[in-house]
């Protein structure tokens, strides 16, 4: 369980957004496995790396200070918006 700085605050938002980004990458990675050749190996590797970074950042939320938590929340909100536009 991720520590909460404030109930319903930035940590919860950062956690939820990072989880949504991870889910987006996981769905693409599953599709790539099911439909080999549909995506280039480089694209799949980029998705895997980005997913792994998001997992690391999600886990880091357990120990981040409030400023870093806000930065993670903003980063993943922007990334999710970008991913949903593709």
């Amino acid at each position: 369980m991720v520590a909460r700085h404030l109930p319903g605050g930035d940590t919860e938002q950062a956690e939820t957004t990072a989880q949504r980004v991870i889910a987006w990458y996981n769905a693409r990675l599953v599709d790539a496995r099911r439909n080999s050749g549909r995506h280039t190996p480089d694209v799949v590797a980029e998705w895997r790396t980005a997913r792994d970074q998001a997992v690391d950042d999600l886990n880091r939320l357990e120990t981040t200070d409030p400023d870093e938590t806000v930065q993670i929340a903003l980063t993943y909100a922007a990334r999710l918006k970008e991913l949903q536009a593709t």
Side-chain angles (χ1 to χ4, degrees):
M1 184 73 173
V2 174
R4 305 267 185 252
H5 296 290
L6 296 171
D10 296 324
T11 301
E12 185 176 327
Q13 181 180 0
E15 181 182 86
T16 299
T17 307
Q19 288 171 339
R20 291 178 67 193
V21 167
I22 292 164
W24 188 96
Y25 285 120
N26 282 340
R28 296 319 174 276
L29 290 167
V30 167
D31 180 63
R33 278 192 300 271
R34 289 182 180 158
N35 300 295
S36 66
R38 184 174 184 184
H39 306 286
T40 67
D42 289 341
V43 168
V44 174
E46 287 174 19
W47 289 341
R48 188 171 291 112
T49 299
R51 189 264 327 264
D52 292 347
Q53 179 63 54
V55 169
D56 290 345
D57 287 341
L58 179 63
N59 290 332
R60 241 175 6 110
L61 286 169
E62 294 178 18
T63 60
T64 56
D65 64 44
D67 290 338
E68 191 174 7
T69 299
V70 169
Q71 186 58 48
I72 290 171
L74 292 172
T75 297
Y76 284 97
R79 174 131 356 124
L80 184 60
K81 184 176 180 180
E82 178 184 305
L83 293 173
Q84 289 176 332
T86 59

